[in-house]
Amino acid sequence: MTITNNHPGFGTATLEPPVDVRRRACSADEFSPLREIVVGRAAGAVIPQASDPSAWLTLYSHLDAGQVAAVDGGALPQQVIEESEEDLETLAETLRGLGVVVHRPSSVDHAAPFSTPHWDSASGMYSYCPRDLTLIVGETIIETPSPVRARYHELDGLRELFRGYLLAGSAWISAPKPQLRDSLYGVGRDGLPVLTEDEPAFEAANVLRCGRDLFYQVSTSGNEFGRIWLESLLGPQGYRVHPVRDVYPHTHLDSTISLLRPGLVLLNPSRVTEDNIPGPLRDWDRIWCPEMRETGVSATGQSLSSPWLGMNLLMVNPELAVVDSAQHELIARLERHGISVLPHTLRHDRALGGGFHCVTLDTVRDAPAGADYFG
Ligand code: DAV
C-alpha cells in the first residue's frame, strides 16, 4: 500500500513500506516455518542503574536492596559490544542462508537521559532483545507496557519496520502507556522487589504463543493487571490467555518453557513440576531440559539472567532449532526427538540477558492464525 497526502501549500507526502517489507506481519506461535525475523543489536547498549527501582525489579529481582546497591550499570565494555555484534551478525547470516528475511533495529541513542512528569531515567537500555517488548499475535503487532522505565522509548528502533508492516496491512497497537509511578514498585517480606497492581504492566517475553492459546507468566515483569488487559483485547477475538503463576517469579517465560512443535514442549526442571505445569501442556510430550553447561557470566562480571538462558532457543521450523552450542546434552536430547540443531554462540548472553529467543522477534511465520493445538 502507498499513501499519498496532498497538503495544500506544503507538498505531497508519499509513504511506502521499507524495501524489505513486502507482506504483513503474521506470527501466531513459536515454531511454525519462519519467514521474517528481527535480530537485535548490541551497539549502544546501556545497563540501567540498579538504583532505579524498575531496573532492580526486572534485572536484579533475585538480589535484595543491600546486594543490588553494589551493582553498577552504565555502558558495556567495547569488547562485549563488538563480540555480541559479531555473534548477532552470524545468527542473521545463518537465517538469511535459510531464506529468512532478516530485519535489524535502526540505531537508537540509548545513552540519552529522559524524563516524564513522574520520574527521570538516566538512560535507555538497548536493542539487544527485540523479543521483550513487542508481542505479535497473528497479524497484530502489540507494543507491551514494560515496567522498566529505561525501556520506555526502546521501540523507537523498530518504528520504521512497524510503519512498514502497517502499510502492508498489519494492525499495530500499543497497550495503555504506563505511568510507571513509584507505587508500581514494592518490596516483599523477603526483601526482594515486587511489581504491584497499580496499572497494567508486562513484557512481551512474559508470553508464549501457541495459535489460539497464549501462556502469560505472572512475575516481576508482568502483573495480573497486564494479563487482564491482554485478555480484554484477545478474548473477544477467540484467544485464550492462560496464566502461568507460581512457576518462576523473575521476569520472562522463555527460559522456563519452550514450545518446540505441536505436542512437544521443553521444560525447565528447576521450575516446572508435575503440579504447576500449565494445564493445556499436560497432554503434550515433555523434554525435561538437562542441567545447563555454565558458560560464565562474561566480561562484565554481572549477569542479567540465570544459567537457564541455555534453553532459550529459537525454532526455525518444527524440525530445526538454533541452540547454544555449549549445551551438548540439550542438543542431543532435541536430536533424539527429531529436531536438528544449528549450534550458535552468543558470547555475552548472560551479561546482556538474552539467548536466541530473546534476541529475535519472529514477525512472519507460516502458520494458520488462531490454530487450535489443544482442541
Ligand atoms: O531464566 O533468567 C531469562 C529470560 C530472558 N528473556 C532467566 C530468564
Side-chain angles (χ1 to χ4, degrees):
M1 188 200 307
T2 301
I3 298 178
T4 304
N5 188 341
N6 296 305
H7 300 275
F10 184 74
T12 301
T14 302
L15 297 176
E16 284 184 55
V19 284
D20 57 352
V21 175
R22 291 189 209 101
R23 52 194 156 190
R24 58 189 68 174
C26 182
S27 182
D29 60 51
E30 310 291 338
F31 42 72
S32 288
L34 186 60
R35 300 291 173 225
E36 287 188 32
I37 197 162
V38 181
V39 171
R41 282 190 192 283
V46 180
I47 303 304
Q49 298 297 343
S51 53
D52 169 344
S54 72
W56 178 24
L57 177 78
T58 53
L59 305 180
Y60 308 107
S61 57
H62 51 291
L63 304 181
D64 65 25
Q67 293 164 322
V68 85
V71 171
D72 259 345
L76 290 160
Q78 199 48 34
Q79 185 198 349
V80 171
I81 300 288
E82 282 169 14
E83 291 178 353
S84 299
E85 282 290 313
E86 275 173 30
D87 294 342
L88 291 167
E89 184 47 37
T90 302
L91 172 65
E93 266 312 304
T94 294
L95 294 170
R96 282 187 207 107
L98 295 167
V100 176
V101 175
V102 176
H103 305 281
R104 306 299 299 274
S106 55
S107 160
V108 173
D109 179 7
H110 295 292
F114 56 90
S115 59
T116 78
H118 307 296
W119 44 264
D120 302 318
S121 184
S123 70
M125 191 166 152
Y126 57 28
S127 298
Y128 184 71
C129 289
R131 176 74 53 193
D132 288 0
L133 306 193
T134 305
L135 183 65
I136 301 189
V137 178
E139 295 185 354
T140 303
I141 298 167
I142 305 169
E143 297 189 8
T144 59
S146 169
V148 187
R149 291 171 173 171
R151 306 190 83 168
Y152 210 76
H153 296 293
E154 189 170 305
L155 290 181
D156 285 5
L158 294 176
R159 274 191 96 74
E160 197 182 334
L161 179 64
F162 294 166
R163 277 203 303 256
Y165 282 131
L166 177 63
L167 290 172
S170 298
W172 176 22
I173 63 170
S174 171
K177 256 191 334 283
Q179 290 183 298
L180 308 183
R181 290 169 180 249
D182 286 348
S183 48
L184 187 61
Y185 312 104
V187 178
R189 276 187 290 274
D190 54 5
L192 299 181
V194 167
L195 180 64
T196 73
E197 297 292 338
D198 236 34
E199 60 181 344
F202 71 100
E203 295 194 337
N206 277 59
V207 181
L208 290 173
R209 304 152 303 152
C210 196
R212 61 179 286 196
D213 293 271
L214 294 96
F215 297 91
Y216 177 108
Q217 171 156 283
V218 179
S219 72
T220 55
S221 55
N223 58 16
E224 295 283 356
F225 215 166
R227 177 188 58 76
I228 289 167
W229 178 80
L230 190 64
E231 225 162 46
S232 76
L233 174 75
L234 297 177
Q237 300 176 36
Y239 289 94
R240 297 173 289 222
V241 180
H242 305 279
V244 179
R245 300 190 182 99
D246 305 320
V247 171
Y248 182 56
H250 308 287
T251 72
H252 303 150
L253 184 53
D254 53 358
S255 293
T256 301
I257 298 175
S258 297
L259 304 173
L260 302 176
R261 65 174 180 238
L264 184 64
V265 62
L266 174 66
L267 298 172
N268 180 327
S270 78
R271 300 174 186 166
V272 184
T273 65
E274 293 294 339
D275 293 330
N276 68 12
I277 183 168
L281 294 173
R282 284 180 188 278
D283 294 336
W284 281 28
D285 293 335
R286 300 156 198 184
I287 301 179
W288 292 100
C289 189
E291 277 301 313
M292 294 281 92
R293 193 164 148 242
E294 280 266 10
T295 50
V297 164
S298 95
T300 67
Q302 279 167 195
S303 173
L304 299 188
S305 59
S306 73
W308 292 103
L309 211 51
M311 68 167 272
N312 185 283
L313 51 81
L314 172 71
M315 296 308 292
V316 176
N317 63 50
E319 285 91 40
L320 187 62
V322 177
V323 183
D324 178 2
S325 57
Q327 308 305 334
H328 308 297
E329 182 56 31
L330 171 59
I331 290 172
R333 257 180 229 194
L334 292 169
E335 287 175 344
R336 280 203 292 278
H337 283 80
I339 295 174
S340 305
V341 168
L342 298 165
H344 274 65
T345 302
L346 294 168
R347 278 168 279 182
H348 304 289
D349 55 353
R350 294 192 58 204
L352 284 154
F356 295 103
H357 193 255
C358 310
V359 302
T360 53
L361 174 69
D362 44 290
T363 54
V364 182
R365 287 183 186 268
D366 275 350
D372 189 351
Y373 295 106
F374 301 99

